[in-house]
Amino acid sequence: MKLKYNNKQKFEPIVPDHDEWPVAKLSRNREAFIQKVAKASIEQIKVVRSTSESLIKELETTRYFEKLRLQKDPWEVDPDDEMAFWKEVKSDLMKLSGQEDTNNKEEEVLERIVTRYSTEIAGNFKHSYYRFTRSVVTFGFSRLLNSQQSKFWGLFKSERTLRDKIRIRGHINLIRKLAKKGTIVMVPTHFSNLDSILVGWVIHELGLPPFIYGAGLNLFNLGLFAYFMNSVGAYKVDRRKKNRIYLETLKTYSNLAIQDGIHSLFFPGGTRSRSGKIENSLKLGLLGTALDAQRSHFNKNSDEKIYIVPVVLNYNFVLEAPSLINQYLERTGQEKYYIDTDNYASSFKIVKFLMKFFTKPAEISVTIGHAMDLMGNYVDEEGNSFNKLGQPISVKDYFMKNDEVISDKQRDQEFTRLLSDRIVHEFHKFNEVLPSHLVAFVGYRLFRKQFAELDLYSFLRLPGDELSLEYDYFMDSCRKVVDVLHELENEDKLLLAPKFEDSLEDLIETGLTNLGMYHATRPLMKNAKGQIVTRRLNLLYFYHNRLDGYNLKHHV
């Protein structure tokens, strides 16, 4: 599959009037929407907790876990009155304890909690802020792009553009046409905290109106991110909160926004990939909200469709890779693995990373996958669905029973699981392999082969000076893997970066130059003797994992 790209192509806005953007309409009615979310969330919670006793127990559980959160994991972004609010909730619940007739006071407590959650979650899009932030990001990044050509004048000349640096390819015209016909739910892979900014830029670049998306509340701890997120209307997701009431409120927010035709984006993996692998197990909760929204359309006799669009992001290096792989190995290896430190926790580090990226010859790849309906069927430009045999089908039929649109929890869970599997398949299909992925994969597999008798954690603790590869041996292994990668591309199982058309030696050189260039200790490099060596095995393992899932290790 050869997906062409043209970095010079310009895309006119599909909705020129920003007042008509769905997210702008949502923002104008923000308070009313918050109340709508709160009301719907309360109704849903009361379906599950239908008695006074069960509801009070749910409220007590919520209050207890919120107390633990504040004690063990407080954040700067937490409201100043957070502790006082939950103390008041505790006091109210104690008054209700043991009462036979509560006069529905527990419902008042529930309403206060849900309204607070709804207000916290809700985004606040402002076009003036969005336009300013967009201008600053574009100007700043473009100047940094060109600064490599001239330390001074390059900052004021625009010879290269972000489209030279960030390659966008895939089913672009399809998503533009479908965004006029229905509601887009974009589901990208997730590797870095920079993903939100990157995808936001891509959405604008493709002429699409801004999407709402759930941004981790932790990002609002960082001033650089907080301003950007607030300006584009991102809604906040606090992953510390695991209680039923919060999760129900969050799902209801997403569901109602999609029902209102707000194009949405969420990372179905739930969080950044700690291992560096493409996500193979997705969170079903938010995917389920899209299914619920589609059913609501059909219940209202509306044929408006919701389209799922997978997006695959690829970097030559990930800013947070050292801490991410440490977290992964600590969780999977426990006492077998010892952490070293390389933290990512400040706006300064982010700025330093951006300067490094935009003054180096690295690139980012963004691939827009083929749009699907909620059952995972491909759709055409008119929004029509087709099964695997290419036959037209009706999505509404999936929701019908005895000529009625019904809600079947067990059936819906199975539909969501099947959609999740389909998205994972598309992630691998539209994954663009970069030269850095190639050299990381081959380098790691060859080192691992030398110490096959060691378990993973013992192997990763080996000192770097014990590991080296002769260049010709490394190059020959790369050649074999490249041949297999070309075969996989011809079978529509992945994509290759344009650099794979270069000579093998140039391809390897590009990969070694770009792999992990930000990190103080490079995961793979050529030493003075011309040998391939590593000084950071765990990082090499992280970048190697990008090609996990293609059964390539048997070819090294």
Side-chain angles (χ1 to χ4, degrees), residues 369-501:
H370 198 297
M372 304 181 291
D373 61 31
L374 269 298
M375 301 301 125
N377 303 301
Y378 281 157
V379 298
D380 64 13
E381 293 180 350
E382 298 301 318
N384 301 311
S385 297
F386 297 86
N387 63 19
K388 293 181 180 179
L389 300 177
Q391 300 166 330
I393 54 175
S394 169
V395 176
K396 188 174 183 178
D397 290 345
Y398 288 96
F399 296 87
M400 303 287 288
K401 186 175 182 179
N402 297 326
D403 296 326
E404 287 186 307
V405 176
I406 66 164
S407 176
D408 184 323
K409 185 175 181 181
Q410 185 175 358
R411 184 193 63 180
D412 290 352
Q413 288 175 342
E414 181 64 13
F415 284 161
T416 306
R417 186 190 65 78
L418 292 173
L419 175 62
S420 170
D421 292 344
R422 181 74 167 146
I423 292 171
V424 169
H425 176 269
E426 297 297 294
F427 280 168
H428 284 81
K429 179 177 180 177
F430 290 100
N431 178 36
E432 182 181 290
V433 182
L434 301 178
S436 57
H437 300 155
L438 167 70
V439 297
F441 183 85
V442 173
Y444 176 84
R445 296 314 315 176
L446 292 177
F447 287 138
R448 189 74 180 95
K449 191 175 181 180
Q450 293 177 359
F451 296 90
E453 72 283 0
L454 298 179
D455 66 43
L456 174 64
Y457 308 98
S458 299
F459 172 68
L460 293 178
R461 290 200 299 271
L462 288 175
D465 56 10
E466 294 199 14
L467 298 166
S468 64
L469 300 166
E470 294 303 319
Y471 183 78
D472 288 345
Y473 175 50
F474 175 75
M475 186 175 180
D476 185 57
S477 296
C478 285
R479 179 181 292 107
K480 294 176 181 177
V481 173
V482 168
D483 288 343
V484 177
L485 290 174
H486 279 294
E487 291 177 9
L488 291 174
E489 184 180 44
N490 290 334
E491 296 170 3
D492 287 350
K493 293 181 178 178
L494 51 71
L495 297 169
L496 295 178
K499 278 290 182 181
F500 277 79
E501 300 299 325

Side-chain angles (χ1 to χ4, degrees), residues 45-237:
I45 292 165
K46 287 168 64 176
V47 168
V48 180
R49 296 290 180 249
S50 57
T51 67
S52 175
E53 182 181 3
S54 63
L55 180 54
I56 290 174
K57 186 175 181 180
E58 188 71 58
L59 293 169
E60 288 174 339
T61 301
T62 299
R63 198 278 313 168
Y64 174 74
F65 281 113
E66 288 291 48
K67 174 188 174 183
L68 291 182
R69 172 180 65 84
L70 291 170
Q71 289 178 343
K72 296 184 176 181
D73 195 16
W75 287 350
E76 289 182 14
V77 74
D78 292 331
D80 293 336
D81 67 340
E82 190 84 332
M83 187 68 75
F85 175 83
W86 291 106
K87 283 183 177 179
E88 185 177 349
V89 168
K90 178 182 179 181
S91 176
D92 291 343
L93 292 176
M94 288 178 67
K95 293 175 184 177
L96 296 174
S97 179
Q99 291 187 19
E100 293 185 6
D101 185 3
T102 62
N103 292 317
N104 295 325
K105 292 292 185 182
E106 69 278 4
E107 294 187 13
E108 295 178 11
V109 176
L110 174 63
E111 183 178 358
R112 295 211 314 273
I113 293 174
V114 171
T115 300
R116 185 178 181 87
Y117 281 157
S118 301
T119 304
E120 174 193 293
I121 292 168
N124 190 27
F125 179 85
K126 293 184 179 179
H127 180 257
S128 58
Y129 289 8
Y130 173 80
R131 184 174 55 194
F132 175 74
T133 302
R134 163 72 186 175
S135 299
V136 169
V137 169
T138 302
F139 177 84
F141 283 7
S142 296
R143 300 293 79 75
L144 287 170
L145 263 173
N146 294 296
S147 65
Q148 188 182 25
Q149 298 175 359
S150 169
K151 291 184 178 179
F152 179 76
W153 291 111
L155 292 172
F156 300 95
K157 293 163 63 178
S158 182
E159 298 163 353
R160 303 170 67 201
T161 69
L162 287 179
R163 288 285 293 280
D164 295 316
K165 198 73 168 175
I166 303 173
R167 181 169 55 256
I168 309 172
R169 64 196 294 198
H171 297 275
I172 295 171
N173 290 329
L174 178 60
I175 189 177
R176 282 173 51 83
K177 290 182 179 180
L178 291 176
K180 298 178 182 179
K181 295 180 175 295
T183 306
I184 303 294
V185 175
M186 187 179 283
V187 286
T189 55
H190 197 9
F191 293 94
S192 170
N193 278 331
L194 294 173
D195 292 346
S196 297
I197 291 180
L198 172 62
V199 177
W201 180 85
V202 168
I203 286 170
H204 184 278
E205 192 70 11
L206 297 184
L208 301 170
F211 285 37
I212 65 166
Y213 52 95
L217 190 62
N218 58 307
L219 294 181
F220 291 79
N221 279 320
L222 303 173
L224 181 69
F225 278 93
Y227 179 83
F228 182 86
M229 297 300 179
N230 280 315
S231 68
V232 298
Y235 64 91
K236 306 173 187 69
V237 179

